[in-house]
Amino acid sequence: MSVNRLATGGLVDRQTPIGFSFDGRPLTGLAGDTLASALVANGIGLVGRSFKYHRPRGIVSAGPEEPNALVEKGRGAYREPNTRATTIELYPGLDVASQNRWPSLRFDVQAIGQLASPLLGAGFYYKTFMWPAALWERLYEPAIRHAAGLGRLSGAPDPDTYEKAYAFCDLLVIGAGPAGLAAALTAGRTGARVILLEQDFALGGRLLSDTVEIDGMPGPVWVREAEAELATFDNVRILTRTAAFGLYDGEIGAVERLTDHLAVTPAGMPRQRLWTLVAVQTVLAAGAIERPIVFGGNDRPGIMLAAAMRTYLQRFAALPGRRVAVFTATDDGWRTAEAFASAGVPVAAVIDARRDIAASVRALAGDVPVFLGARVLDAIGGQSLSAIEVIGDHGRRRIAVDGLAVSGGFNPDIAMTTHLGHKPRWSDASLAFVPDAMPANLAVAGAAAGRFTLAEALADGARLGAAAAGAAGKPVVAAPAWRASDETFAVGPLFHVEGGRGKAFVDLQNDVTDKDVAQSVREGFVSVEHLKRYTTLGMATDQGRTSSVNGLAILARLTGRTIPETGSTRARPPHGPVAIGAFAGLHTGTHFKPTRLTASHGWAKEQGAVFVETGQWLRAQWFPRAGERDWLESVTREVDAVRSGVGICDVSTLGKIALSGPDVGAFLDRVYCNTFSTLPVGKARYGLMLREDGFVMDDGTTARLGEDDYVLSTTTVNAGKVMQHLAFCHQVLWPDLDVQMVSVTEQWAQFAVAGPRSRALLQQLFGPAADLSDAAFPYLACGTFPLGATMARLFRISFSGERAYEIAVPAGYGDALIRALMVAGRDLGVTPYGTEALAVMRIEKGHVAGAELNGQTVARDLGLGRMMSRKKDYVGRLMAEREALNDPSRPTLVGLQPTVPGVRLRAGAHFLSLGAPATAASDEGYMTATAFSPALGHWIGLGLLARGPERIGEQIRAYDPIRGGDVVVEVVNPVFIDPEGTRVHG
Amino acid sequence: MRIPCPYCGPRDSSEFAYHGDAAPRRPADGDAAAMATYVYLRDNPAGPMEELWYHAYGCRSWLVVCRDTRDHTITGAKPVATHGATA
Amino acid sequence: MRYSLLSLVSHALGGNRDWKPAWRDATPQPSYDVIVIGGGGHGLSTAYYLARDYGIANVAVLERGWIGGGNVGRNTTIVRSNYLLPGNIPLYELSMQLWEGLEQDINYNAMVSQRGVLNLYHSDGQRDAYARRGNAMRLHGIDAELLDKEGVRRLYPFLNFDQARFPIQGGLLQRRGGTVRHDAVAWGYARAASDRGVDIVQNCAVTGFLREGGRITGVETNRGAIRAKKVAMAVAGSSSEVAAMAGLRLPIESHVLQAFVSEGLKPIIPGVITFGAGHFYISQSDKGGLVFGGDIDGYNSYAQRGNLPVVEDVCEGGMALMPAIGRARLLRSWGGVVDMSMDGSPIIDRTPMDGLYLNAGWCYGGFKATPGSGTVFAHLIARDEPHPAATALTLDRFAQGRVIDEKGQGAQPNLH
């Protein structure tokens, strides 16, 4: 048995010893232990080092509020820094190490910084390290960064997975102490849907630690019965190891730890689960957190919150000291004295700052020495506590101790009530902030409401549980009445003991002392927000749970204000730090965003295609063949094949919107700048869509398949945006138009069949029954043809400038169609081509695409000004007519080609007139897109050039200093190939 | 935030796309100054506001939602068609 | 009192009992030459440069709460001048240059740390867009480098190069970019302005404007009327509310932008990294916290707090970019109310009301612009003409169509 393990009692399993290690030292604990309780049982007091002065620190609390005992848990990529020893469940092989020390916990060289501490007061770094300026990044800052920080991340990818879950209920109960259990039981019995959250691995809260009774049963027994009853309800879900961390608008966030307590993670089990919970009513029953007292040397290992000491004694049967004194301003501290006496280790003294103590409280200490109206002035020791200096009626007295239980009061755990901006109220009776104005549908029970006794907790829980069940329409029940043992929670005002010699810490982890607060006040940082930011008080990993109220009290005294006049504690989520991985869930790595695949993806993969991300889609970029040296060779071959024969490209990713109704033509007239109401059945037309501010939004073709039946295409990236825009135009602007629309992007697989032999291929596919002659199916025709078991849509449109068609079938036939097209085209030398070849051909034809449709261009910039109808109103017309947008000096679309063949052009280069200096004032536009043109045998580009169309034939510089490029180019017509447009008929 | 979609029931706001203040009406009379005001100027009140949300990952309806910009309290949502938009 | 190592030592020897307030907590006088509404970074820097550059020290900065309580203390501390458009670049570069000499100028260590800002790209199109931007920067004389994938890997080997949905192809690096300790900027300017005679008046809320004819002649406050020859607004987040008191409507919506910090960690991220395939940016503070953020929540808000979906979205971006941070814990989040303008760029201009000057619409860019904004705004107020670095940031550019739209999103504030 470990040195400080009591022989009997507690909720640990003496039959199940568990081996673990701390700083490489093998130790043994028991099932049911936390790391902290196991360390206490093993007599280990020194657990960590503080942030700034690297002072030795021990365990302060027994819960998630722990500011000192932070460790690195696990090894390698599993290493988890800053993990609170008080929340780690012991498991076989648990491997933890202390942090923020070098070379060892006992001997930490940075602790010598304490000697310079008078220089390192609040905000010292704002006042120095300024000369010489160059040394800040090189010397001062690296030194500060090296000394700062707490634990270490491994630097390796997190090997665990996380997931997200959502749940809805009538009543959400946060905290399974007496109040929470009472609420869950009461509501659960009515059949209301209840979710009960408990951050600990065991239900019960203080009932596991305190010697209280309910209905004559010891706390743990009552908890066992409550848990057994709850387990019989299908309508109650209990989530242990689950901490609610945030109240958001209408939702509560919680994180469930699934494997952190397991020696071996079951395959496929996520480490943590992020819950989004939607409850009709929420009861916050999170209890209260004991408050330390600020006095000299109050950070010595061995000084612990009084209730935490009781938890170690009575829940974990671990002795946090062999000679302990109690320093209290509350009745509760006396219960710790009683607990030590019950364990057979009477305390050395009880020091209470108050004088009026109820006799029943006084009796808890038995016959140990009691000092009333007294204070602990200093705690003495090094890496462990050796004595305390008490000041009181008897003057000063030094008492040798190895432990000190401290109780300055209780802070109700009300953070969640303030997350939505509601302020708490200071209670002079409780000497604490208690909930005041409350968010809708949230109620607070028991200690969290400042109602600390067990009887109040049970009554609150029962009342609120019954109310929630009633609100959920369940039969109204009388709230159960549980009988609780008597107790008192009187508290006196004691936050700070002045006059000690040692440093008196307000924020233990961040090493903020009472002197730092005083100095900040001298420097004018008298607002609580300023104090917090200037000193970092309350910004440690405990989020101010152990420091904020004491800081506020000291600030209030120094500025002659009351605590409520000075400020309050408003918290922001998360309440308790949460792993970043948990917020991300499964949306990491290749699952960061959904991957959309086209119907021909499997076929393209078989062909060895190289894929590229286009928004969420994966598209074939090119199809390399054996022997090709690089992408350019493959792409050049694909372009040649299209321009001389026939190629096939999957264009399914373009957005497709089906429109129907008698007013579609009128509607399209209002959303496109050109006219669609004249579009005959069986025809397609290119359209340009503007935003209301006059800039170009998107382009695409619309085909009229039947009298009231249209299909409109968008660019791939704008599919969702255009759908939303069209819905807006219809529903918000013109609901009187009789139009229906739906996105069918996913419903159709669509392929471009392009090149002079494209008709031959399609004729082969459709057979002789389909008349694809130019007379029957001319350029810009559209129609529907039977194809196998389905009907195919055919559009004669061209992006490449060649004779071309697009063929669409229901997506389920897409794979069959691509294979059928390849078979039909085998004798024609059909060649699949990807997005690169597509891009080359559009640049050769001067068609605009994403690089030019960048939201910063108007139709005129793109040479499409003539598309803007003057005969109708449409979205964007008035704003596009503004003078500044029709200024000829706006950069306008041109073609560019190098004056020296063989020179490569690059998009992103800026245009300068020859001879002009390379300065911003000379900037005349930029290259939007470039490609190697197989037909021309050299690089070509598109660009936006000031007064571009006037400058055809001029030579200018394409200046690209960021890649070391500086090329002379000639301004040319942006249509490089077939400017007359005859080949679409060829 | 949970938006009470009149067609789908209460749904998380992440299913919706936000457009902004529902008050501005698109001018129909071809006045460029009025159009610039419609496109660019907003009251941007701190308090209750009727605003346009689009149930993009739901019924694809545009809704008028009444929401307080100071505390995000939502007091109702109705179909935009009852909003009386101008042509 | 000058701050230095020597002053630290001498105060330490005196038990640190002699420190004086960093700035005077002034009570408002009946009138001033200039009233600056808003004791945030921009208001305080404006007051400082009015005093330093134009000798106008009869200035009051009126703050309704405590100075520095707004966005100057609610951002992710990044400074950079890697902008694309000529309307924006000069201002942000002016700002960058002022950051570089700030501490010596104002005798306050704001920890300006030029650790580099890297914007990642994940496609050829993004690369070309960054080349366009980097070249624009170079034409303005600003440092910019385009890194390929290996160049990025050398700087940040722990990024996700191999298992990514959108693989990193490279990045645009501005080495002069970095971070600045945000609160210290407000305090440092307050102290420097106060030393030059500026009155910093806290807990003084403007409730209306004094007018004579069409001219603004002062303000009404909860501490009485205060007259001034000129009144300047620097109240980003509340611009529309304050402008409404003068009868103005602005091309601005107020939105909440959340920011996040992790628990303290030993140094792991040397510079600032911006993900290009989601909206996520991260750096590590000198205290060790990972400081990160992403998109605005996307709906009008004055609440200074956001919601869970954006927290998740930001962390998804973070994990996609650097899966090593999964076991670091998010410690705190906060929300700032930002002025989202209709083109994503700020407004620094006179208003249609004589005597009233506007500095607003900062979107995500306010903090990094603090020194430059103060400089050009002071110039505008003192000279009644725009500073050469801010000629394009006019209020009438919207009606005229001279918008400065870096992202090409149009008049939809939540998309900028």
Side-chain angles (χ1 to χ4, degrees):
Chain A
M1 192 66 73
S2 307
V3 288
N4 283 343
R5 183 76 70 183
L6 300 172
T8 60
L11 302 172
V12 286
D13 178 3
R14 287 184 173 70
Q15 306 309 311
T16 312
I18 291 177
F20 70 103
S21 76
F22 177 65
D23 276 343
R25 180 176 160 196
L27 296 166
T28 305
L30 298 175
D33 260 332
T34 63
L35 172 64
S37 68
L39 291 172
V40 170
N42 280 282
I44 292 176
L46 174 62
V47 179
R49 289 276 173 173
S50 68
F51 181 81
K52 185 165 157 188
Y53 300 128
H54 289 251
R55 290 184 44 120
R57 294 287 166 83
I59 297 162
V60 170
S61 74
E65 67 272 25
E66 176 60 38
N68 273 356
L70 307 186
V71 297
E72 291 176 349
K73 174 177 180 270
R75 287 278 167 100
Y78 288 93
R79 186 167 71 209
E80 185 190 6
N82 305 335
T83 308
R84 291 149 290 176
T86 49
T87 63
I88 298 175
E89 284 173 60
L90 214 59
Y91 58 78
L94 172 67
D95 183 1
V96 296
S98 58
Q99 57 184 35
N100 199 31
R101 82 289 187 272
W102 187 84
S104 75
L105 184 57
R106 293 209 159 270
F107 180 75
D108 179 359
V109 292
Q110 287 182 328
I112 60 166
Q114 290 184 71
L115 299 177
S117 65
L119 281 176
L120 308 182
F124 75 95
Y125 29 73
Y126 301 129
K127 297 168 183 161
T128 184
F129 303 135
M130 288 179 270
W131 301 271
L135 282 192
W136 171 250
E137 279 100 344
R138 280 190 229 146
L139 177 65
Y140 303 132
E141 189 180 41
I144 289 174
R145 286 172 83 84
H146 179 73
L150 296 166
R152 301 164 300 157
L153 278 179
S154 74
D158 188 341
D160 275 314
T161 59
Y162 301 83
E163 70 176 24
K164 301 185 187 184
Y166 303 81
F168 301 80
C169 59
D170 298 318
L171 174 62
L172 173 67
V173 182
I174 299 170
L181 285 171
L185 280 169
T186 306
R189 286 170 185 171
T190 70
R193 297 173 305 157
V194 177
I195 296 176
L196 173 62
L197 308 184
E198 172 53 53
Q199 63 191 3
D200 203 330
F201 57 90
L203 306 186
R206 65 173 290 223
L207 295 174
L208 304 180
S209 302
D210 285 351
T211 51
V212 290
E213 292 188 346
I214 302 174
D215 289 348
M217 281 180 267
V221 176
W222 186 83
V223 171
R224 212 154 46 230
E225 296 207 348
E227 190 168 3
E229 184 182 347
L230 289 171
T232 65
F233 299 140
D234 290 342
N235 53 310
V236 176
R237 177 172 205 167
I238 299 174
L239 297 172
T240 53
R241 302 185 178 92
T242 305
F245 62 78
L247 178 60
Y248 298 92
D249 292 303
E251 295 169 338
I252 283 170
V255 64
E256 181 180 11
R257 290 173 288 130
L258 296 164
T259 68
D260 287 343
H261 62 294
L262 300 178
V264 179
T265 299
M269 173 85 83
R271 176 179 171 233
Q272 297 182 351
R273 180 181 289 144
L274 184 84
W275 285 93
T276 302
L277 302 168
V278 179
V280 178
Q281 180 71 32
T282 298
V283 170
L284 179 67
I289 294 166
E290 200 159 22
R291 192 160 65 215
I293 299 168
V294 181
F295 58 93
N298 64 334
D299 65 328
R300 302 276 176 223
I303 300 176
M304 197 182 276
L305 293 167
M309 281 219 178
R310 223 156 57 233
T311 297
Y312 290 115
L313 278 171
Q314 300 186 150
R315 175 174 171 184
F316 297 110
L319 194 58
R322 302 203 158 262
R323 188 176 161 75
V324 172
V326 174
F327 177 27
T328 184
T330 73
D331 291 355
D332 195 64
W334 294 76
R335 285 193 274 275
T336 299
E338 183 196 31
F340 273 95
S342 301
V345 191
V347 297
V350 176
I351 302 111
D352 197 320
R354 304 170 299 168
R355 290 180 188 279
D356 294 331
I357 313 290
S360 61
V361 173
R362 174 70 184 74
L364 293 170
D367 54 4
V368 306
V370 167
F371 300 84
L372 296 184
R375 284 130 207 264
V376 173
L377 194 60
D378 263 308
I380 295 137
Q383 297 194 340
S384 61
L385 181 65
S386 57
I388 53 172
E389 185 111 349
V390 177
I391 186 165
D393 297 341
H394 303 288
R396 290 183 184 223
R397 185 175 302 189
R398 181 172 287 219
I399 303 172
V401 291
D402 66 356
L404 181 68
V406 176
S407 179
F410 282 90
N411 294 327
D413 193 351
I414 55 169
M416 299 264 290
T417 69
T418 69
H419 280 176
L420 296 187
H422 300 80
K423 283 186 182 168
R425 167 178 70 81
W426 179 257
S427 160
D428 283 323
S430 300
L431 291 173
F433 285 103
V434 295
D436 191 19
M438 292 286 290
N441 308 321
L442 179 70
V444 189
R451 291 158 55 79
F452 296 110
T453 68
L454 181 54
E456 288 171 317
L458 292 167
D460 281 1
R463 175 174 51 83
L464 295 172
K474 298 300 172 190
V476 177
V477 290
W482 286 286
R483 272 180 305 109
S485 48
D486 280 345
E487 57 184 349
T488 64
F489 270 89
V491 55
L494 179 63
F495 305 95
H496 178 208
V497 180
E498 289 179 78
R501 281 188 306 276
K503 280 191 170 46
F505 289 91
V506 188
D507 187 314
L508 284 165
Q509 188 183 105
N510 276 354
D511 282 343
V512 180
T513 66
D514 56 352
K515 285 185 179 168
D516 291 324
V517 178
Q519 185 189 325
S520 304
V521 169
R522 278 181 214 119
E523 295 191 58
F525 296 88
V526 294
S527 129
V528 64
E529 286 300 319
H530 281 163
L531 176 74
K532 191 169 110 182
R533 291 151 187 250
Y534 194 61
T535 63
T536 74
L537 193 165
M539 298 175 99
T541 61
D542 75 331
Q543 295 159 314
R545 280 181 184 69
T546 58
S547 59
S548 283
V549 171
N550 283 338
L552 205 52
I554 294 172
L555 178 64
R557 191 182 50 72
L558 289 169
T559 54
R561 297 175 289 185
T562 65
I563 288 176
E565 282 167 359
T566 305
S568 70
T569 54
R570 236 169 80 180
R572 290 185 288 259
H575 180 52
V578 178
I580 291 171
F583 286 111
L586 290 166
H587 296 268
T588 63
T590 54
H591 299 293
F592 169 50
K593 295 287 180 197
T595 304
R596 299 172 76 178
L597 302 179
T598 69
S600 73
H601 187 82
W603 170 85
K605 220 169 157 181
E606 290 168 22
Q607 311 308 308
V610 172
F611 293 96
V612 63
E613 295 79 16
T614 310
Q616 293 183 345
W617 293 97
L618 274 188
R619 300 185 71 180
Q621 195 172 12
W622 66 85
F623 293 82
R625 283 194 184 162
E628 288 174 344
R629 286 160 300 178
D630 60 9
W631 66 273
L632 185 57
E633 195 174 335
S634 304
V635 171
T636 299
R637 169 182 51 74
E638 291 172 12
V639 172
D640 281 338
V642 173
R643 297 228 181 273
S644 63
V646 59
I648 300 177
C649 182
D650 190 334
V651 294
S652 307
T653 62
L654 294 181
K656 296 179 275 294
I657 297 169
L659 299 112
S660 68
D663 293 335
V664 171
F667 179 71
L668 294 177
D669 276 356
R670 297 189 196 184
V671 297
Y672 280 109
C673 72
N674 51 322
T675 304
F676 277 88
S677 50
T678 55
L679 182 68
V681 173
K683 280 288 193 180
R685 183 172 290 170
Y686 175 75
L688 193 66
M689 190 179 286
L690 309 188
R691 299 188 309 232
E692 194 68 278
D693 68 355
F695 289 79
V696 175
M697 180 178 191
D698 198 55
D699 71 347
T701 54
T702 295
R704 188 173 185 183
L705 296 161
E707 184 60 31
D708 291 346
D709 185 11
Y710 296 71
V711 62
L712 171 160
S713 75
T714 76
T715 59
T716 299
V717 291
N718 284 334
K721 191 176 183 173
V722 171
M723 182 68 211
Q724 176 179 335
H725 174 68
L726 295 187
F728 177 88
C729 290
H730 178 223
Q731 296 177 37
V732 181
L733 299 184
W734 302 300
D736 52 309
L737 293 182
D738 187 354
V739 176
Q740 297 296 321
M741 64 185 80
V742 64
S743 165
V744 293
T745 305
E746 298 277 359
Q747 279 64 37
W748 293 88
Q750 192 153 324
F751 299 92
V753 181
R757 295 182 188 165
S758 54
R759 185 173 71 184
L761 188 154
L762 290 168
Q763 198 70 66
Q764 178 72 26
L765 180 77
F766 284 109
D771 184 356
L772 299 181
S773 69
D774 282 354
F777 204 75
Y779 181 54
L780 294 178
C782 68
T784 303
F785 297 86
L787 182 63
T790 187
M791 298 290 283
R793 289 176 176 175
L794 197 62
F795 310 91
R796 190 163 164 198
I797 52 182
S798 175
F799 200 45
S800 58
E802 303 298 326
R803 168 186 288 275
Y805 303 80
E806 289 189 13
I807 177 171
V809 292
Y813 293 101
D815 179 73
L817 177 59
I818 184 66
R819 292 173 197 277
L821 286 168
M822 291 303 289
V823 170
R826 192 182 297 149
D827 296 339
L828 300 167
V830 64
T831 300
Y833 66 99
T835 55
E836 284 297 325
L838 194 75
V840 171
M841 290 186 279
R842 78 99 182 167
I843 293 169
E844 288 178 328
K845 286 298 295 177
H847 290 314
V848 293
E852 295 82 26
L853 302 173
N854 61 6
Q856 297 165 330
T857 47
V858 294
R860 194 189 165 282
D861 300 341
L862 304 177
L864 300 173
R866 64 187 182 284
M867 287 184 72
M868 296 166 64
S869 167
R870 298 181 173 281
K871 297 177 186 157
K872 61 176 182 116
D873 188 28
Y874 54 87
V875 172
R877 180 179 72 91
L878 276 178
M879 292 294 93
E881 285 174 356
R882 288 178 290 180
E883 192 182 330
L885 297 180
N886 290 281
D887 182 341
S889 69
R890 279 184 67 88
T892 307
L893 190 74
V894 291
L896 292 312
Q897 61 186 25
T899 53
V900 179
V903 171
R904 180 169 182 175
L905 304 185
R906 290 186 192 275
H910 282 240
F911 298 136
L912 304 172
S913 288
L914 291 183
T919 63
S922 310
D923 193 355
E924 296 195 276
Y926 69 102
M927 193 91 77
T928 57
T930 63
F932 178 79
S933 169
L936 300 175
H938 60 74
W939 284 82
I940 58 173
L942 297 177
L944 296 166
L945 174 67
R947 295 177 289 102
E950 304 166 19
R951 298 169 70 175
I952 304 293
E954 184 181 332
Q955 292 191 353
I956 58 173
R957 274 167 85 186
Y959 183 60
D960 186 25
I962 202 157
R963 286 172 293 203
D966 191 354
V967 180
V968 177
V969 292
E970 183 186 346
V971 181
V972 296
N973 184 324
V975 185
F976 290 89
I977 300 255
D978 184 30
E980 299 78 24
T982 56
R983 292 167 69 153
V984 291
H985 306 288
Chain B
M1 279 188 301
R2 297 184 63 77
I3 294 174
C5 175
Y7 302 110
C8 308
R11 292 289 185 273
D12 191 276
S13 61
S14 53
E15 292 182 12
F16 296 77
Y18 183 74
H19 184 82
D21 194 347
R25 297 292 197 280
R26 185 175 191 269
D29 58 1
D31 177 342
M35 183 60 86
T37 297
Y38 165 74
V39 171
Y40 293 114
L41 297 187
R42 298 289 178 268
D43 284 340
N44 191 26
M49 176 160 92
E50 290 211 322
E51 49 194 22
L52 291 167
W53 291 76
Y54 175 59
H55 201 178
Y57 299 100
C59 58
R60 286 184 173 160
S61 296
W62 279 92
L63 306 174
V64 175
V65 177
C66 187
R67 193 180 61 95
D68 193 313
T69 61
R70 293 165 302 184
D71 60 11
H72 306 163
T73 302
I74 293 172
T75 50
K78 57 192 175 184
V80 75
T82 63
H83 174 60
T86 32
Chain C
M1 177 177 30
R2 203 171 159 70
Y3 289 158
S4 66
L5 182 59
L6 198 64
S7 76
L8 272 181
V9 170
S10 78
H11 279 94
L13 293 174
N16 285 317
R17 288 177 204 289
D18 305 327
W19 290 106
K20 295 288 180 291
W23 65 88
R24 287 177 298 111
D25 191 21
T27 47
Q29 302 302 302
S31 78
Y32 291 94
D33 288 342
V34 177
I35 285 175
V36 179
I37 308 173
H42 291 222
L44 293 165
S45 69
T46 300
Y48 171 69
Y49 292 112
L50 275 171
R52 191 196 78 169
D53 296 349
Y54 304 98
I56 302 173
N58 183 22
V59 174
V61 178
L62 307 184
E63 167 54 48
R64 71 176 166 187
W66 301 92
I67 62 160
N71 293 337
V72 71
R74 291 170 178 268
N75 56 75
T76 47
T77 79
I78 298 166
V79 300
R80 56 184 173 84
S81 58
N82 58 358
Y83 280 73
L84 170 68
L85 298 177
N88 275 327
I89 294 176
L91 172 66
Y92 287 98
E93 175 56 16
L94 169 66
S95 212
M96 197 69 235
Q97 290 173 14
L98 289 165
W99 285 124
E100 289 173 322
L102 182 75
E103 289 138 340
Q104 291 70 31
D105 183 24
I106 64 173
N107 180 230
Y108 205 87
N109 186 356
M111 305 184 194
V112 177
S113 179
Q114 295 181 280
R115 289 185 273 134
V117 171
L118 178 66
N119 288 31
L120 297 172
Y121 61 80
H122 308 259
S123 69
D124 290 354
Q126 254 185 334
R127 177 201 60 211
D128 292 343
Y130 277 139
R132 175 191 171 198
R133 181 194 294 222
N135 285 329
M137 292 165 65
R138 295 281 279 263
L139 285 169
H140 280 83
I142 302 170
D143 72 303
E145 294 167 49
L146 197 66
L147 304 184
D148 62 9
K149 182 175 171 177
E150 290 314 308
V152 173
R153 200 195 289 269
R154 275 194 293 278
L155 277 181
Y156 294 111
F158 52 84
L159 298 183
N160 181 7
F161 290 95
D162 304 319
Q163 287 295 314
R165 174 70 182 82
F166 302 102
I168 295 165
Q169 290 194 12
L172 178 67
L173 176 65
Q174 185 185 21
R175 291 188 193 271
R176 287 165 63 238
T179 59
V180 178
R181 168 83 182 108
H182 55 2
D183 294 323
V185 174
W187 303 333
Y189 273 120
R191 177 170 166 270
S194 179
D195 281 353
R196 286 179 182 268
V198 170
D199 274 2
I200 290 161
V201 186
Q202 301 183 111
N203 298 306
C204 183
V206 170
T207 55
F209 287 95
L210 302 176
R211 300 187 210 197
E212 280 170 24
R215 189 174 174 82
I216 299 289
T217 56
V219 295
E220 301 272 10
T221 77
N222 61 343
R223 297 171 73 171
I226 311 174
R227 302 186 65 82
K229 292 176 189 152
K230 296 178 176 181
V231 177
M233 285 172 55
V235 292
S238 303
S239 296
S240 299
E241 292 282 292
V242 176
M245 294 179 199
L248 298 176
R249 287 177 91 210
L250 299 179
I252 284 173
E253 291 181 1
S254 295
H255 284 259
V256 62
L257 175 60
Q258 299 191 62
F260 308 92
V261 65
S262 78
E263 295 178 343
L265 299 161
K266 289 297 176 195
I268 182 164
I269 302 176
V272 180
I273 309 170
T274 298
F275 190 30
H279 203 174
F280 175 80
Y281 36 91
I282 189 167
S283 65
Q284 188 170 14
S285 78
D286 286 346
K287 268 192 72 188
L290 306 178
V291 182
F292 56 100
D295 270 321
I296 54 174
D297 269 44
Y299 43 80
N300 285 33
S301 175
Y302 287 90
Q304 290 195 325
R305 59 177 179 79
N307 273 300
L308 190 52
V310 168
V311 185
E312 295 176 54
D313 188 68
V314 169
C315 290
E316 287 167 12
M319 284 296 284
L321 175 64
M322 45 175 79
I325 64 172
R327 299 176 104 77
R329 293 188 204 83
L330 175 61
L331 177 62
R332 279 195 313 278
S333 66
W334 59 94
V337 178
V338 294
D339 276 4
M340 294 303 295
S341 71
M342 285 286 169
D343 63 357
S345 295
I347 301 159
I348 302 174
D349 201 357
R350 286 163 289 193
T351 69
M353 308 290 294
D354 276 351
L356 181 63
Y357 300 78
L358 178 68
N359 173 322
W362 287 98
C363 303
Y364 293 77
F367 177 68
K368 64 185 71 71
T370 304
S373 167
T375 298
V376 302
F377 199 34
H379 183 281
L380 178 76
I381 297 163
R383 298 274 173 83
D384 268 312
E385 61 186 40
H387 186 282
T391 54
L393 304 172
T394 60
L395 187 54
D396 65 4
R397 70 175 187 265
F398 299 94
Q400 291 184 352
R402 300 182 194 278
V403 291
I404 307 168
D405 188 350
E406 294 258 338
K407 288 174 76 177
Q409 294 289 1
Q412 186 62 36
N414 61 344
L415 299 181
H416 288 294

